[in-house]
Amino acid sequence: MANSSSQLFQATWGAADTYLRGVVPRQQYGNYIIPFTVLRRLECLLEPTKAEVIEFVESSQLPQDFVDSLVAEEFGTTFYNTSSLSLEIIASTDDNVQEGLMAYIAGFSDNVVKVFESFEFSKLVDKLADGNVLWGMIKHYSTLDLSPGNIGEHGMGDLFENLMYRSFSENGQVAGEFYTPRDAIRLMVDILLRSDDKGMQGSAPIRSVYDPTAGTAGMLLTAKHAMKEINEDISITLAGQELMAESYALGASDLIVSGEDPDVLKLGDTLTDDQYADQKFDYVLANPPYGTDWKRSKAAVEAEAKIEGSRFNHGLPPTSDGQMLFLTHIVDKLTPKVSETAGGGARICSY
């Protein structure tokens, strides 16, 4: 099996011409290829300890939240699967393929199930089943070696980035809604970090990065990689929130394939439901929805603006100026300047 990210990209996207052509429009290929790639990567990541995890969970007899914490502590993973199925097992027969696949998805921990729900994976599976290509897709992806030993976190991140870029290129009319080019992000990050180079030196510096309009989580991941290049020993906390379900699914998936905790990305409207309320961050990177209004969030925002000391209490821009309202929120999330040795306070960069 091919073991370079470029060869794996060809093998991964190659499923399109074999199984998707004539079943779904070309501009929708990525909608199917990306979730199947994520599923196979998850399967390969979990395979070495899956039997032990299943036994551990079945014997715990505890509420779900406790089980999640115990699995993370025992096995060092924030996600898991308790189904005895796998893509290989499902592909071994053409009986009950659709039912088996959905049962397999349901066996994942809640944070992964949420990602596949945001992909609307069941609808995608229905479409493939109706086109009589679901079994072929499952067999194809079951043979891809996406194990960490074959493709590490960096290579998998490159593979996923290539898949997203190809997907958005095919479906260019919506790409700008939830994708910022990684070269533009890296330029932003380099500018942002330049004034903090010395502050990030030392034996164990700590930094936090936040994106209130996280999209596909590119800014969070790029910022972490750039800081690790400056100091491998730096401890970095990521946090993000995204409104669009499809963007959230892509972002959480990118975090997973890059070896990060998908739970750091929250789904919801940052303006009406800040899921990182009362938290401050060293860096804020964002690509706010420029040129949009905040009429949809008006009632909740105006109610919060009446609360003394809230993020919107000092005043509101016109409802036509959504980007300024987001900037108001962003400024509120910045940590205050404490000392030069602590990095000189928080920093912001907006695309």
Side-chain angles (χ1 to χ4, degrees):
M1 173 57 64
N3 58 12
S4 73
S5 59
S6 60
Q7 290 172 313
L8 280 170
F9 171 77
Q10 295 300 325
T12 303
W13 193 269
D17 288 333
T18 304
Y19 301 105
L20 299 181
R21 179 176 292 180
V23 177
V24 300
R26 184 177 183 85
Q27 63 267 28
Q28 295 179 15
Y29 283 178
N31 297 348
Y32 295 80
I33 290 170
I34 289 175
F36 271 95
T37 302
V38 172
L39 177 56
R40 179 56 180 160
R41 175 63 168 184
L42 287 171
E43 183 172 78
C44 291
L45 288 171
L46 298 177
E47 194 277 331
T49 59
K50 185 176 179 182
E52 296 175 65
V53 170
I54 292 175
E55 182 180 358
F56 181 83
V57 172
E58 288 179 346
S59 64
S60 65
Q61 300 297 312
L62 291 171
Q64 187 69 47
D65 290 344
F66 288 99
V67 172
D68 292 347
S69 299
L70 289 172
V71 170
E73 182 179 346
E74 182 73 18
F75 298 96
T77 178
T78 57
F79 50 88
Y80 56 92
N81 188 295
T82 57
S83 172
S84 60
L85 295 170
S86 67
L87 291 179
E88 182 180 7
I89 292 173
I90 297 169
S92 64
T93 174
D94 60 355
D95 291 334
N96 302 314
V97 172
Q98 185 171 1
E99 294 81 358
L101 180 59
M102 296 315 299
Y104 181 37
I105 295 294
F108 278 101
S109 48
D110 289 345
N111 52 358
V112 173
V113 170
K114 184 178 180 181
V115 171
F116 280 90
E117 288 175 347
S118 297
F119 275 128
E120 297 188 323
F121 192 63
S122 61
K123 292 183 179 179
L124 303 179
V125 170
D126 286 342
K127 184 73 171 180
L128 296 177
D130 291 342
N132 294 315
V133 294
L134 178 60
W135 187 31
M137 282 282 286
I138 294 173
K139 285 197 292 184
H140 176 80
Y141 281 92
S142 72
T143 66
L144 296 182
D145 186 359
L146 299 184
S147 64
N150 191 48
I151 179 168
E153 291 178 7
H154 183 74
M156 191 65 207
D158 288 343
L159 170 61
F160 198 73
E161 168 71 7
N162 287 338
L163 291 174
M164 285 197 293
Y165 181 81
R166 176 70 179 268
S167 175
F168 295 142
S169 295
E170 297 286 354
N171 195 11
Q173 69 269 25
V174 298
E177 293 181 14
F178 51 149
Y179 183 78
T180 304
R182 294 297 167 97
D183 54 351
I185 296 175
R186 183 56 197 249
L187 176 61
M188 291 171 58
V189 170
D190 287 345
I191 293 171
L192 188 65
L193 299 182
R194 185 171 180 82
S195 61
D196 195 23
D197 284 354
K198 293 182 179 179
M200 283 189 288
Q201 299 302 325
S203 59
I206 299 172
R207 291 291 184 271
S208 57
V209 186
Y210 172 65
D211 185 348
T213 56
T216 60
M219 293 190 182
L220 297 176
L221 290 168
T222 303
K224 180 172 183 175
H225 294 157
M227 282 188 274
K228 284 291 186 179
E229 289 174 8
I230 295 173
N231 187 343
E232 183 62 33
D233 295 327
I234 192 170
S235 177
I236 304 164
T237 299
L238 302 180
Q241 187 164 338
E242 171 56 34
L243 173 62
M244 295 174 59
E246 184 177 359
S247 301
Y248 161 80
L250 290 168
S253 299
D254 204 353
L255 289 165
I256 289 171
V257 302
S258 299
E260 303 292 336
D261 181 359
D263 292 335
V264 304
L265 184 60
K266 311 297 184 183
L267 177 62
D269 186 348
T270 300
L271 296 179
T272 63
D273 179 24
D274 177 12
Q275 296 187 42
Y276 283 99
D278 302 322
Q279 294 190 45
K280 307 295 183 181
F281 303 94
D282 298 314
Y283 300 104
V284 180
L285 292 129
N287 183 3
Y290 291 102
T292 63
D293 60 53
W294 51 276
K295 293 177 182 177
R296 179 174 54 186
S297 309
K298 188 172 185 291
V301 169
E302 289 182 341
E304 186 174 349
K306 296 176 182 178
I307 301 173
E308 186 69 27
S310 72
R311 55 183 170 158
F312 301 134
N313 181 240
H314 63 279
L316 296 171
T319 54
S320 60
D321 197 351
Q323 60 265 32
M324 183 57 67
L325 188 64
F326 262 103
L327 288 174
T328 300
H329 165 77
I330 288 170
V331 170
D332 182 72
K333 304 303 284 187
L334 298 173
T335 55
K337 181 173 182 176
V338 179
S339 70
E340 291 304 323
T341 57
R347 294 162 173 81
I348 176 176
C349 193
S350 177
Y351 176 76

